[in-house]
Amino acid sequence: MIRKTWIHILLGSIVLSWAGCSREHVAQGEDHGHVHTGEEGENAHEHETDGTEKITPGPNGGRIITSVTPNIEFLVRDDRSVQLTFVDEHAKPIEATDAVVSLVGGDRSDPTELTFAVEENTLVSSGVLPEGEVVGVILTIQAGPEAAAVIERFNVDFATCSGCQLVEYACICNH
Ligand SMILES: [Zn+2]
């Protein structure tokens, strides 16, 4: 019961953040005088305050999740299963750790829950993402069985970004 409510709150906030997504990034002082080249400007990340972090593409074209150590690349395979690859600080694949990951996604009235198991050197989901061009997901990641859970919420948007040509969920240009 409690868990279900929690999921609803999280899914609700995904919808809200999606709806509130805006292309306007207001420059944060200091940086004035900087001219956008169109190539590498606009790299301000919504959740960053220091502005130092650059968005690195994943080794397989997926989205790098930086809230956990080691970082994890999130990639949806052709069959819509999810592949998680552990990467070092240079986004190079490393061996899978004993991290425990679960995913809840899709329609909040009938969410899909996926677990992950080690396959080769990656974690692969027990099932596939639900249908849809945009699927909201919540990843719960524990670096180890005893570690505190880190929660990542984002939309898996399968459209191709016109800026960096990656799928939108892995976009590195904030287009
Ligand atoms: Zn992009």
Side-chain angles (χ1 to χ4, degrees), residues 53-134:
E53 191 181 340
K54 270 187 72 179
I55 303 179
T56 308
N60 303 298
R63 174 194 188 96
I64 299 277
I65 294 169
T66 57
S67 57
V68 289
T69 304
N71 292 171
I72 296 175
E73 180 195 40
F74 175 98
L75 178 76
V76 181
R77 307 204 287 198
D78 290 341
D79 64 358
R80 292 179 81 87
S81 61
V82 177
Q83 172 184 304
L84 304 175
T85 305
F86 295 87
V87 297
D88 67 14
E89 64 270 31
H90 306 296
K92 292 272 193 309
I94 58 174
E95 282 192 21
T97 70
D98 58 354
V100 180
V101 184
S102 62
L103 180 152
V104 178
D107 188 347
R108 68 163 106 170
S109 65
D110 183 26
T112 297
E113 298 191 34
L114 302 178
T115 57
F116 291 82
V118 176
E119 191 176 291
E120 304 277 317
N121 233 346
T122 62
L123 292 182
V124 177
S125 63
S126 55
V128 299
L129 288 179
E131 294 289 303
E133 187 68 4
V134 180

Side-chain angles (χ1 to χ4, degrees), residues 1-171:
M1 191 63 181
I2 290 171
R3 179 143 182 264
K4 189 137 196 170
T5 307
W6 176 78
I7 288 168
H8 283 185
I9 291 168
L10 289 177
L11 283 172
S13 58
I14 284 177
V15 171
L16 280 178
S17 61
W18 180 30
C21 182
S22 163
R23 292 184 182 183
E24 295 174 40
H25 287 285
V26 180
Q28 298 278 334
E30 287 167 48
D31 203 23
H32 46 222
H34 175 75
V35 178
H36 289 297
T37 62
E39 280 289 330
E40 50 189 312
E42 312 245 26
N43 59 355
H45 192 286
E46 281 178 293
H47 304 292
E48 283 159 21
T49 51
D50 60 12
T52 54
E53 191 181 340
K54 270 187 72 179
I55 303 179
T56 308
N60 303 298
R63 174 194 188 96
I64 299 277
I65 294 169
T66 57
S67 57
V68 289
T69 304
N71 292 171
I72 296 175
E73 180 195 40
F74 175 98
L75 178 76
V76 181
R77 307 204 287 198
D78 290 341
D79 64 358
R80 292 179 81 87
S81 61
V82 177
Q83 172 184 304
L84 304 175
T85 305
F86 295 87
V87 297
D88 67 14
E89 64 270 31
H90 306 296
K92 292 272 193 309
I94 58 174
E95 282 192 21
T97 70
D98 58 354
V100 180
V101 184
S102 62
L103 180 152
V104 178
D107 188 347
R108 68 163 106 170
S109 65
D110 183 26
T112 297
E113 298 191 34
L114 302 178
T115 57
F116 291 82
V118 176
E119 191 176 291
E120 304 277 317
N121 233 346
T122 62
L123 292 182
V124 177
S125 63
S126 55
V128 299
L129 288 179
E131 294 289 303
E133 187 68 4
V134 180
V135 179
V137 299
I138 301 164
L139 268 179
T140 304
I141 305 161
Q142 287 176 265
E146 305 294 320
V150 172
I151 294 172
E152 274 285 322
R153 302 170 280 183
F154 55 93
N155 283 321
V156 183
D157 185 336
F158 292 95
T160 300
C161 175
S162 58
C164 63
Q165 306 302 317
L166 291 167
V167 282
E168 284 287 0
Y169 72 81
C171 172

